[in-house]
Amino acid sequence: HRLDGADVDWEAPTTAEEQADLGRLLKVVRSALDSVSGGPAGIPRLLLTVTARAGGGLTRKAAAIVDRVHLMAYDDMRDPEAHASMGVAEAQVGIALVEGVPAPKVVLGVPFYGRAQTGAARAYRELA
């Protein structure tokens, strides 16, 4: 299938144990990917990425294991009117950097769908 790696979508580790579990999982997956790529067989190094929400327990240690961190900068339910606002995106990037994610690893995830928190659904152009 010519895949170029794996993405771990860890929605919301909330406890220290879950955060440690994420780190352990990433370490095991990185090792498995490295065992089948990047060697003399000519298979390019396979990427390992993680999709997470900043502030959701992604540790500096976990960020060091992956090639990229895909930030979920959407569906912030603290403000139903800000489904995917610029403010949410800026906050997610800022938190990730403070948490120790190196800036070159940050990939901003934005939605291409609308969500009705209250009332009638609205078009994406009305949400962004």
Side-chain angles (χ1 to χ4, degrees):
H1 289 40
R2 304 187 81 115
L3 300 176
D4 61 359
D7 179 64
V8 175
D9 184 349
W10 193 279
E11 291 292 326
T14 55
T15 66
E17 183 178 357
E18 289 174 347
Q19 292 172 9
D21 288 344
L22 172 59
R24 285 190 285 273
L25 175 64
L26 292 174
K27 196 179 268 189
V28 167
V29 174
R30 174 77 274 157
S31 178
L33 292 173
D34 288 347
S35 73
V36 296
S37 69
I43 299 171
R45 181 176 181 274
L46 295 172
L47 298 175
L48 174 58
T49 62
V50 64
T51 298
R53 186 172 311 286
L58 183 64
T59 64
R60 182 182 311 264
K61 202 175 196 180
I65 296 169
V66 300
D67 296 292
R68 289 191 298 260
V69 175
H70 299 152
L71 291 177
M72 295 186 289
Y74 47 88
D75 289 349
D76 186 340
M77 298 310 172
R78 291 171 291 181
D79 180 359
E81 296 302 314
H83 161 67
S85 70
M86 184 64 169
V88 170
E90 289 171 340
Q92 284 292 297
V93 171
I95 293 167
L97 296 176
V98 167
E99 288 178 329
V101 178
K105 289 188 176 187
V106 173
V107 177
L108 185 62
V110 296
F112 287 94
Y113 60 88
R115 180 177 303 277
Q117 302 298 328
T118 58
R122 296 182 294 172
Y124 184 78
R125 69 179 169 276
E126 295 173 307
L127 298 170

